[in-house]
Amino acid sequence: MNLVKAASLAIGTLALSGLLAMQAFTNVLANDKPALAASVSPLNGFALEQVALDRLQSQEGGSLTPLVRQVLAKEPLSPAAWTILALSQQDADKKDAILLAASKINRRTLLLQSSLLLLYASRDDFSNSIGVLNQILTVYPEQEATMFPILIQALKNDRAIPEFVQTLSKKPVWSDNFLEAASQDSDALPNLARVRMGLFGKLMVEQDTDKTIIAALVKAGRTETAASLYRKISEPAAGSALDAAGSSRRIDWSTNMPPFDWQLTDNAEQRAQIIESPERLEIFVRSGKAGVLAERILTVPSSFALQIRHSVTPIDQLKDVRIQIQCEKTRTKFFDQPLTPSPSKFAVGPITPDCRAVRLSLLARAWSNKASISGTIDSINIIP
């Protein structure tokens, strides 16, 4: 779907100040029926304008041109009247010229803005299309659901990226909602990531929005792109998870930006939570329950030692608390070992170069005929 089709479909469902779809306009502009204006004060141009708008809504037969000219004679700065006049033109160049002239009067009329949007979309003019969409959403924020699909379609074109960065840098009220909406379209994700990278230092994006974008990138298999965005967002804290995989490091307990920070399970049956002084992971699994307690994506060397200090009890159930590692790119699990008495130490690798981004998971099962499992994971270290 191109930008013109997206704009046409969206505007086809838009309530243009109570009007019907844009496609209905040309059906109305046919024959003259000036008697409608007789019930309106001949001195009230805006009342005449409302009659014209009502005629569009009701799809009554008859040309609106004479009525619109009456409006313009009394209210020459009426953008709605100029828009209706433009739409009545058979000559496309004349219609476009009237619309562009009307845009210099007042762009706050949704009828005019929507007509301009179709005009700019037909010209593949991303700068003005995005500009008009911004004006519509600023004045009519309730139209996000209608206008976002047009913006998302435009976002898929590489040429639109600078325009999005420029528009979003102006901090429009709809920016976070749009970024989250765009993250749900897999085809828009590559350019969405480029736009988000271009906004650093220009727009303060909400943390929840960044979480949504990163999660969508990971879900779509774009782990490297997600990791680059995570590094940029989290600097310098991200070093502990996605450092150049060549130095010994302790994995932090940040939960700010999963899945590159920890994603924790928290319910009445099983939970993992960060506790302070010192910072560590507290875990609990009720008897008869099992599942993933905590996991995150990180970059690792081709071969390394994994050292885990903990105080998990009962000791005789350590075999039911396991560490798993899988290649994030292929989703292939290549390491699965139970904890041993602290400090647990495991040799991992060699790992192929395309699997250096891995998902580290902590799982536990407390059998129904045994005690609940609890304790803390005090530290996890990667030692090349």
Side-chain angles (χ1 to χ4, degrees), residues 82-297:
W82 281 111
T83 304
I84 297 172
L85 182 64
L87 294 169
S88 70
Q89 303 301 309
Q90 299 299 315
D91 184 284
D93 291 338
K94 185 178 290 187
K95 179 185 76 172
D96 294 350
I98 295 174
L99 285 174
L100 292 173
S103 71
K104 300 183 186 302
I105 299 173
N106 184 342
R107 287 196 174 195
R108 295 178 68 86
T109 302
L110 191 52
L111 176 60
L112 172 58
Q113 290 173 319
S114 301
S115 301
L116 287 169
L117 176 58
L118 287 174
L119 167 61
Y120 293 134
S122 69
R123 295 179 174 183
D124 217 17
D125 183 343
F126 291 105
S127 177
N128 279 311
S129 294
I130 295 169
V132 169
L133 285 163
N134 178 40
Q135 291 168 355
I136 291 174
L137 290 170
T138 300
V139 180
Y140 304 97
E142 70 277 6
Q143 298 296 345
E144 285 186 356
T146 302
M147 294 300 165
F148 278 177
I150 311 174
L151 282 168
I152 293 170
Q153 188 62 38
L155 180 60
K156 298 175 186 179
N157 191 303
D158 292 350
R159 293 190 294 112
I161 293 175
E163 306 300 338
F164 274 101
V165 172
Q166 181 178 8
T167 299
L168 294 172
S169 295
K170 296 175 183 177
K171 304 176 178 61
V173 295
W174 49 270
S175 58
D176 280 283
N177 288 348
F178 167 69
L179 293 172
E180 291 194 25
S183 72
Q184 304 309 304
D185 190 317
S186 59
D187 293 334
L189 279 173
N191 284 355
L192 174 63
R194 292 170 64 186
V195 168
R196 177 62 188 95
M197 292 292 278
L199 291 173
F200 284 102
K202 301 176 182 177
L203 175 69
M204 183 64 69
V205 176
E206 294 289 338
Q207 186 178 81
D208 285 346
T209 301
D210 280 330
K211 286 181 181 179
T212 300
I213 295 172
I214 286 177
L217 287 166
V218 172
K219 183 179 180 180
R222 300 181 180 277
T223 307
E224 292 183 6
T225 302
S228 297
L229 182 57
Y230 168 80
R231 288 190 189 96
K232 188 71 175 177
I233 293 169
S234 305
E235 288 177 343
S240 59
L242 294 171
D243 235 342
S247 57
S248 177
R249 68 189 193 275
R250 177 171 175 163
I251 305 302
D252 65 59
W253 295 114
S254 173
T255 58
N256 289 334
M257 201 72 60
F260 296 102
D261 290 331
W262 289 101
Q263 186 166 326
L264 307 178
T265 296
D266 184 10
N267 57 57
E269 310 298 338
Q270 52 194 36
R271 68 174 182 271
Q273 60 184 10
I274 309 302
I275 58 176
E276 305 291 335
S277 302
E279 191 175 56
R280 59 202 187 281
L281 181 70
E282 182 180 63
I283 65 171
F284 170 80
V285 181
R286 192 177 302 280
S287 177
K289 302 299 177 180
V292 177
L293 296 174
E295 63 180 6
R296 74 182 295 174
I297 297 173

